[in-house]
Amino acid sequence: MNSEQSEHNGERHGWRETLRVIIFEADTPLGKTFDLILMLAIIASVFAVAFETVESVAADYGRELRIVEWVFTILFTIEYVLRLISVRKPGEYARSFFGVVDLLSFLPTYLAAFIPGAQTLLVVRALRLIRVFRILKLARFVSEGGQLLLAVKNSLPKVSVFLVAVLTTVIIVGTIMYLVEGPENGFTSIPQSVYWAIVTMSTVGYGDLAPATPLGKTLASIVMIIGYGVLAVPTGIVTAEIGRADRTKKISTKACADCSLGGHDPDAEFCKRCGARL
């Protein structure tokens, strides 16, 4: 009995492992084929959701688009269940970033039966395209993206101080502009004047509010000139951090068999999330 049970467990482990390799890995022909089909399905489903919001298209093809939406929803539901079955620790996968994204890729369709309009949230499916970079040999772009995120994280303290300085400046400038121009020229309150200062300093320039007095125009000119420098500062901070980052770091497309996490170092032996051996 024990030998039969062991053989049964071995077979079960075998097909689960084969299924996991096909779904989560990209180093086999079946894995690449699966991910290519998945990528095409994601793109098609996102376009279907987008076109459904166009009134003229929805009026002529609304029924067909809803059928397509349900077909993709059922397919993604089956895929999600297979992902849960194939990993050793389905709870870890379900709580991971891509686990949540995969769940949200079909859940809104079911919620739409109770909450009208919820199906528009299905555009979150586009985030799933991130995971298929590996099949197109674009793993290095994932690595570059990680370097960029690290640079932004390291730049956050400096950028935060800079933003506080900018916020203080626009409040001061807005207050001065309120005193200079006054309600008769559209600057009806300090918050309204601060809004003008933000729009002007960011070089957006909506044009819905403009100074009329010579002193106000002079102040506006100074703010515009400062705005060009303001745009360059955070860019320079982040660029400097990117330059310090190790841009030669490589990543592997191998996924953890327990929690499905990818993006490990090529020489990694254990998963950096759950500690399982790779």
Side-chain angles (χ1 to χ4, degrees):
M1 179 66 180
N2 290 336
S3 61
E4 292 179 358
Q5 185 177 2
S6 177
E7 183 179 354
H8 174 73
N9 290 337
E11 292 176 356
R12 183 171 180 270
H13 172 76
W15 69 259
R16 285 183 63 185
E17 179 63 18
T18 301
L19 183 64
R20 186 195 68 80
V21 171
I22 293 174
I23 294 177
F24 288 100
E25 303 289 350
D27 297 330
T28 63
L30 286 176
K32 292 179 181 179
T33 301
F34 175 84
D35 281 348
L36 281 172
I37 294 174
L38 177 62
M39 181 179 65
L40 295 175
I42 293 170
I43 294 174
S45 64
V46 170
F47 272 104
V49 173
F51 281 126
E52 194 175 1
T53 62
V54 180
E55 292 186 7
S56 58
V57 177
D60 296 332
Y61 304 101
R63 182 173 177 273
E64 290 79 1
L65 288 173
R66 282 190 292 274
I67 293 175
V68 170
E69 179 183 315
W70 272 105
V71 169
F72 282 123
T73 296
I74 294 172
L75 289 176
F76 290 142
T77 302
I78 295 173
E79 180 219 350
Y80 180 76
V81 173
L82 292 177
R83 288 182 182 273
L84 290 176
I85 293 174
S86 63
V87 294
R88 297 171 187 167
K89 296 181 180 179
E92 292 285 345
Y93 160 70
R95 291 191 296 269
S96 67
F97 170 76
F98 279 115
V100 174
V101 170
D102 291 342
L103 177 64
L104 292 178
S105 69
F106 63 85
L107 188 61
T109 302
Y110 299 113
L111 293 178
F114 308 97
I115 306 175
Q119 68 272 17
T120 56
L121 296 175
L122 290 174
V123 293
V124 75
R125 290 173 180 170
L127 291 175
R128 305 188 70 199
L129 291 172
I130 299 174
R131 74 154 84 236
V132 297
F133 279 165
R134 57 189 181 172
I135 64 175
L136 300 178
K137 302 300 183 184
L138 297 179
R140 66 186 183 90
F141 289 109
V142 179
S143 179
E144 294 293 334
Q147 296 295 334
L148 179 60
L149 289 177
L150 179 63
V152 172
K153 181 180 178 181
N154 293 338
S155 304
L156 191 58
K158 297 177 183 177
V159 174
S160 298
V161 173
F162 169 74
L163 290 178
V164 170
V166 172
L167 181 61
T168 303
T169 302
V170 296
I171 291 175
I172 294 174
V173 171
T175 302
I176 295 174
M177 187 61 73
Y178 170 72
L179 297 175
V180 171
E181 294 293 326
E184 60 273 13
N185 292 322
F187 294 81
T188 56
S189 64
I190 290 180
Q192 177 79 348
S193 302
V194 170
Y195 157 78
W196 168 86
I198 294 174
V199 171
T200 304
M201 186 170 289
S202 63
T203 71
V204 174
Y206 289 129
D208 56 342
L209 191 62
T213 64
L215 182 58
K217 291 180 180 180
T218 302
L219 180 59
S221 300
I222 296 174
V223 173
M224 293 174 195
I225 294 174
I226 293 176
Y228 288 108
V230 166
L231 293 176
V233 172
T235 304
I237 294 174
V238 176
T239 302
E241 291 295 335
I242 292 176
R244 296 190 186 100
D246 180 14
R247 301 178 62 84
T248 63
K249 185 178 180 181
K250 305 294 184 180
I251 64 170
S252 171
T253 60
K254 190 175 183 61
C256 174
D258 282 13
C259 66
S260 79
L261 180 69
H264 299 285
D265 295 339
D267 58 347
E269 297 182 3
F270 299 93
C271 176
K272 55 188 175 183
R273 177 197 288 158
C274 67
R277 180 175 290 276
L278 297 176

